[in-house]
């Protein structure tokens, strides 16, 4: 018996209608743990070469971890993986809520969806009963609306993941939604659902999860909750959630403003966590077994309408309130609501709209092409462009491709301020005086995403200060000295192993990252649940193995992939920051090259960023080494 796991993989081929179950491999569980690890391993082994991300041959995986669904703090995580429509390479996205636990209760650790249904459908799972059902009644409806209707039609005990019209239309940064406000937001996983005519998956599970020492795990779970309740930052974290960092990010000058033209927004106190409490919030909203709910459920009213919405969390504030310069928390929340219903990632959407407005201001996209005047600090602009993007109408058809492709098509130097890495739009931190965080964005395996290695506190504070410590400390409001560049790779690599490890275990990292929950708890929990003894260092080695494997997938899938794909946009090394505490600062191209040189050497990759045979064999990926050797021998495209 495999303790901690449901023990099965559910495979659904939408082209043929075949549904089958197979046992979960014990070897894979030992070597990759779960969640993100399962996604990476199965994509590497099973993804057909050279396929189109939105073609019938792509696959999408939904995976839980060994700690998902248990009486443990934050054990509600679900991981998604596919070949990314946004980047063309390795893709994954993580979601909280209740879907992963329910998938395990139904008997499955992994759901693998392949093929393409001949007509709109959704997947119905109730324990061993699995059916592909018609979704004509839901097709074209918003993601939140669809979830509500399916739960009304099937029963409240079903946990549902859905896509909106953006996923149906193949917007390359469409997301998958769940629990009326949780999203697998990044890398375009929702577009892959849409390409398969898959509107939703509804799951009800009534089974249990075998536990090695159930009584011990229960005692440890209670102990873990008590330990978290006693943390100094516990009382201060929940009221504002991730939005609580907005003040600090501005006061140290790393808030992305006006399409990352600068790094400080004068109106930041109108869009911060306190503003959420005063103007929006009805209640806190958490995921499965969460003791520190970061979700804020509230109501917003604007000139365009009103809505109930979960959020906005910090990233949405940064990209709509900063990058697009929306002036109030009510407007940011309304943009959040529109994205949730259309089924669009708020980070990519904010980045794309910020770029489009700057193009318009510079005369690179005409009024005729745009369809109307657009500007920063204007909710009507945001709402107009979101609708165009979601329906791929007019200018929206271009913007639905993401900033990298859109800039290539517009030309005229617009690529210099198309803010992305590898084709994925940059999330909520401006890094021209934060070289560690810059390196984290450059080398993140899915593209420009903060969640792989948040080292901003190390850049600014020169320490491993927790987010709570940084929030309470605040900024000086003064111009900061230039941050040193050498020596950043060690901290970035450390965090690239720590943070994604939680995605493999199927548990939320916020308890560790925000409150300093000790890693020794996870060692004991893992043993009590699975019966296997692994130190934290052993688990980190698994995470390191996964990191090399995800890099290898992109090397294999993208012709010429390597160093050039890790570059940030020219804005970040040619334009000094004009305002705020970091005014005048800018990393040079030589400094960026030095960051990559140091990182590649520390990783055991060659100068083009491809893992070497020696490194792969050392970490337990000998079977991947031959593929990388072949790629190294190919001339760069």
């Amino acid at each position: 018996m495999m303790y901690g796991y449901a023990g099965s993989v559910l495979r659904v081929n939408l082209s043929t209608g075949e549904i089958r179950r197979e046992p979960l491999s014990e070897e894979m569980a030992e070597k990759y743990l779960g969640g993100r690890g399962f996604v990476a391993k199965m994509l590497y082994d099973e993804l057909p070469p050279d396929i189109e991300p939105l073609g019938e041959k792509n696959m999408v995986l939904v995976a839980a971890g060994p700690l998902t669904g248990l009486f443990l703090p934050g054990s509600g995580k679900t991981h998604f993986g596919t070949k990314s429509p946004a980047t063309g390479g390795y893709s994954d996205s993580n979601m909280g809520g209740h879907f992963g636990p329910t998938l395990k209760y139904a008997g499955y650790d992994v759901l693998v969806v392949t093929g393409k249904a001949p007509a709109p459908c959704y997947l119905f799972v109730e324990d061993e009963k699995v059916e592909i059902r018609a979704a004509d009644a839901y097709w074209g409806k918003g993601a939140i609306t669809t979830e509500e209707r399916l739960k009304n039609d099937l029963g409240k005990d079903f946990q549902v993941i859905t896509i909106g019209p953006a996923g149906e239309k193949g917007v390359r940064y469409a997301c998958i939604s769940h629990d009326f406000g949780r999203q697998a937001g990044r890398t375009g996983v929702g577009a892959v659902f849409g390409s398969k005519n898959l509107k939703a998956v509804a799951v009800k599970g009534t089974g249990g999860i075998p536990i090695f020492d159930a009584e011990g795990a229960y005692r440890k779970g209670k102990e873990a909750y008590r330990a978290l309740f006693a943390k100094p930052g516990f009382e201060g974290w929940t009221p504002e959630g991730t939005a609580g960092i907005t003040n600090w990010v501005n006061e140290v000058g790393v808030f992305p403003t006006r399409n990352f033209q600068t790094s400080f927004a004068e109106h930041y106190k109108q869009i911060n966590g306190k503003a959420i409490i005063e103007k929006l919030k009805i209640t806190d909203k958490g995921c499965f077994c969460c003791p520190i709910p970061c979700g804020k459920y509230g109501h917003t009213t604007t000139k365009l309408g009103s809505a109930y919405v979960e959020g906005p969390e910090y990233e949405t504030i940064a990209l709509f309130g900063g990058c697009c310069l929306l002036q109030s928390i009510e407007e940011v929340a309304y943009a959040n609501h529109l994205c949730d219903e259309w089924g669009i990632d708020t980070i990519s959407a904010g980045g794309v709209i910020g770029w489009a407005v700057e193009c318009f201001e510079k005369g690179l996209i005409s009024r005729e092409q745009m369809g109307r005047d657009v500007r920063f600090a204007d909710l009507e602009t945001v709402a107009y462009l979101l609708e165009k993007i979601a329906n791929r109408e007019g200018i929206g058809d271009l913007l639905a491709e993401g900033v990298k492709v859109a800039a290539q098509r517009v030309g005229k130097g617009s690529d210099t301020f198309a803010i992305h890495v590898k084709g994925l739009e940059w999330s909520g931190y401006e890094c021209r005086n934060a070289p560690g965080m810059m390196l984290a964005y450059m080398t993140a395996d899915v593209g420009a995403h903060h969640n792989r290695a948040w080292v901003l506190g190390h850049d600014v504070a020169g320490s491993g200060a927790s987010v709570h410590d940084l929030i309470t400390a605040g900024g000086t409001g003064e111009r900061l000295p230039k941050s040193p560049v050498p020596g950043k790779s060690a901290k970035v690599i450390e965090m690239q192993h720590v943070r994604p490890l939680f995605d493999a275990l199927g548990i939320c990292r916020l308890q560790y990252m925000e409150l300093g929950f000790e890693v020794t708890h996870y060692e004991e929990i893992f043993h009590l649940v699975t019966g296997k003894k692994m130190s934290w260092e052993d688990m980190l080695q698994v995470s390191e193995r996964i990191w090399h494997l995800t890099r290898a997938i992109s090397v294999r899938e993208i012709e010429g992939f390597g160093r050039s794909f890790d570059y940030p946009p020219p804005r970040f090394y040619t334009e000094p920051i004009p305002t705020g505490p970091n005014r005048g600062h800018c990393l040079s191209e030589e400094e960026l090259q030095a960051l990559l040189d140091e990182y590649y050497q520390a990783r055991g990759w060659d100068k083009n960023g491809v893992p070497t045979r020696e490194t792969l064999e050392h970490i337990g990926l000998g079977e991947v080494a031959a593929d990388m050797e072949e790629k190294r021998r190919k001339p760069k495209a």
Side-chain angles (χ1 to χ4, degrees):
M1 178 179 290
M2 294 180 64
Y3 294 110
Y5 299 90
S8 296
V9 175
L10 175 62
R11 294 182 179 271
V12 179
N13 186 318
L14 296 176
S15 294
T16 64
E18 180 187 12
I19 298 169
R20 61 188 174 92
R21 301 162 187 81
E22 62 186 39
L24 179 70
S25 163
E26 288 196 44
E27 180 183 1
M28 186 169 72
E30 290 180 2
K31 200 169 180 179
Y32 295 97
L33 293 179
R36 170 174 156 85
F38 288 172
V39 161
K41 174 61 173 171
M42 296 177 77
L43 283 175
Y44 192 88
D45 287 349
E46 300 181 27
L47 191 70
D50 302 320
I51 63 165
E52 289 296 323
L54 297 181
E56 183 175 349
K57 293 182 180 179
N58 199 4
M59 59 194 300
V60 60
L61 300 98
V62 186
L67 303 186
T68 301
L70 304 178
F71 177 63
L72 302 167
S75 57
K77 285 293 188 176
T78 313
H79 218 71
F80 296 76
T82 189
K83 182 173 181 177
S84 173
T87 70
Y90 171 77
S91 159
D92 69 35
S93 196
N94 196 265
M95 174 191 287
H98 304 264
F99 188 83
T102 305
L103 185 67
K104 286 182 73 174
Y105 301 156
Y108 312 104
D109 299 287
V110 187
L111 166 65
V112 183
V113 180
T114 56
K116 178 179 180 178
C121 71
Y122 75 94
L123 188 61
F124 173 95
V125 180
E126 185 173 8
D127 296 325
E128 294 185 355
K129 182 180 181 181
V130 182
E131 298 174 349
I132 302 169
R133 294 184 173 183
D136 303 81
Y138 311 107
W139 199 255
K141 301 296 189 297
I144 304 298
T145 298
T146 298
E147 181 176 3
E148 181 181 17
R149 291 190 178 187
L150 275 167
K151 288 177 80 73
N152 287 338
D153 292 345
L154 300 176
K156 302 297 184 183
D157 290 339
F158 278 84
Q159 296 299 326
V160 181
I161 55 176
T162 66
I163 62 170
E168 298 171 12
K169 297 291 179 64
V171 175
R172 292 186 182 271
Y173 42 93
C175 62
I176 294 172
S177 296
H178 165 61
D179 198 27
F180 305 103
R182 297 287 162 163
Q183 281 81 26
R186 310 245 60 201
T187 72
V189 289
V192 180
F193 260 44
S195 73
K196 297 183 174 302
N197 277 331
L198 181 61
K199 181 66 175 180
V201 180
V203 177
K204 179 180 178 180
T206 61
I209 302 169
I211 305 299
F212 174 69
D213 182 350
E215 186 176 338
Y218 178 69
R219 284 198 306 268
K220 183 62 186 178
K222 290 198 293 185
E223 178 189 328
Y225 280 105
R226 292 191 187 106
L228 280 168
F229 296 154
K231 288 292 181 183
F234 175 76
E235 294 293 338
W237 160 260
T238 296
E240 298 181 17
T242 62
I245 201 173
T246 306
N247 283 12
W248 178 82
V249 174
N250 273 279
E251 289 162 8
V252 298
V254 290
F255 191 70
T257 307
R258 292 183 68 93
N259 192 36
F260 292 77
Q261 292 178 44
T262 189
S263 61
F264 177 83
E266 296 286 349
H267 68 297
Y268 70 92
K269 290 185 179 179
Q270 306 305 313
I271 54 174
N272 63 8
K274 186 177 180 181
I276 290 177
I277 293 174
E278 293 177 347
K279 299 178 179 181
L280 301 178
K281 182 177 171 182
I282 297 172
T283 187
D284 299 313
K285 181 171 178 283
C287 301
F288 181 90
C289 277
C290 180
I292 54 168
C294 63
K296 309 299 147 200
Y297 188 73
H299 185 266
T300 183
T301 301
T302 72
K303 62 183 179 182
L304 297 186
S306 63
Y308 289 95
V309 61
E310 180 180 345
E313 42 71 60
Y314 169 75
E315 295 298 326
T316 302
I317 291 172
L319 272 299
F320 281 119
C323 186
C324 296
L325 216 65
L326 294 183
Q327 294 292 294
S328 72
I329 197 65
E330 294 95 335
E331 290 186 339
V332 174
Y334 194 76
N336 192 156
H337 156 71
L338 293 176
C339 284
D340 286 357
E341 187 70 344
W342 290 119
I344 305 176
D345 173 31
T346 59
I347 296 173
S348 285
V352 167
I353 290 172
W355 173 84
V357 172
E358 186 170 352
C359 282
F360 182 77
E361 287 186 342
K362 287 178 161 63
L364 307 182
I365 298 178
S366 69
R367 188 183 192 282
E368 181 181 5
Q369 291 171 310
M370 194 69 74
R372 55 162 283 173
D373 289 342
V374 296
R375 61 183 185 273
F376 288 111
D378 179 40
L379 181 59
E380 289 184 359
T381 289
V382 169
Y384 167 79
L385 290 176
L386 286 175
E387 183 174 9
K388 291 295 184 184
I389 289 166
N391 291 292
R392 278 189 172 269
E393 294 176 348
I395 191 64
D397 193 42
L398 173 69
L399 300 182
E401 295 295 304
V403 294
K404 179 181 180 179
V405 172
Q408 289 170 346
R409 293 181 182 175
V410 169
K412 307 173 189 176
S414 63
D415 62 316
T416 63
F417 54 87
I419 312 300
H420 73 92
V421 171
K422 302 178 183 71
L424 188 70
E425 291 74 20
W426 204 280
S427 58
Y429 306 97
E430 204 290 327
C431 300
R432 278 174 278 185
N433 194 29
M437 196 67 204
M438 178 74 81
L439 180 62
Y441 274 118
M442 293 163 68
T443 57
D445 52 0
V446 297
H449 196 21
H450 66 284
N451 80 339
R452 292 300 196 253
W454 197 93
V455 297
L456 195 60
H458 190 267
D459 275 323
V460 176
S463 71
S466 72
V467 174
H468 175 262
D469 292 338
L470 297 174
I471 292 171
T472 54
T476 64
E478 301 175 355
R479 186 170 184 268
L480 300 177
K482 183 173 174 61
S483 182
V485 171
K488 295 294 183 180
S489 62
K491 189 64 177 179
V492 171
I493 290 172
E494 175 192 350
M495 296 313 296
Q496 284 176 340
H497 295 163
V498 171
R499 289 172 70 96
L501 175 56
F502 290 93
D503 298 338
L505 292 171
I507 199 163
C508 182
R509 65 179 174 271
L510 290 183
Q511 285 79 24
Y512 165 78
M513 295 302 303
E514 269 58 50
L515 299 185
F517 192 56
E518 295 82 4
V519 297
T520 51
H521 289 291
Y522 297 108
E523 295 176 343
E524 186 176 352
I525 287 169
F526 185 80
H527 174 248
L528 290 168
V529 170
T530 68
K532 300 181 185 300
K533 288 195 173 182
M534 291 185 75
S535 68
W536 186 248
E537 288 70 27
D538 292 335
M539 295 182 197
L540 289 176
Q541 190 172 50
V542 174
S543 191
E544 180 180 2
R545 180 181 300 125
I546 297 167
W547 192 269
H548 290 293
L549 184 59
T550 61
R551 182 75 174 190
I553 291 172
S554 288
V555 171
R556 184 186 69 184
E557 295 300 320
I558 303 174
E559 188 63 36
F561 183 86
R563 190 184 191 98
S564 65
F565 285 75
D566 290 337
Y567 290 165
R571 166 159 286 164
F572 286 166
Y573 54 86
T574 61
E575 300 178 24
I577 298 171
T579 61
N582 282 318
R583 63 188 179 278
H585 290 311
C586 184
L587 292 170
S588 69
E589 188 170 5
E590 291 74 21
E591 287 173 319
L592 295 179
Q593 298 284 10
L595 283 169
L596 286 178
D597 285 340
E598 179 183 281
Y599 178 89
Y600 291 164
Q601 184 176 11
R603 273 285 180 204
W605 297 352
D606 66 19
K607 291 184 177 181
N608 192 38
V610 177
T612 65
R613 174 180 286 275
E614 181 181 17
T615 296
L616 292 170
E617 289 178 346
H618 173 73
I619 201 65
L621 292 172
E623 71 277 13
V624 179
D627 289 348
M628 297 303 99
E629 285 295 325
E630 182 180 351
K631 281 290 183 181
R632 251 187 297 272
R633 287 193 294 270
K634 280 189 175 183
K636 185 178 176 182

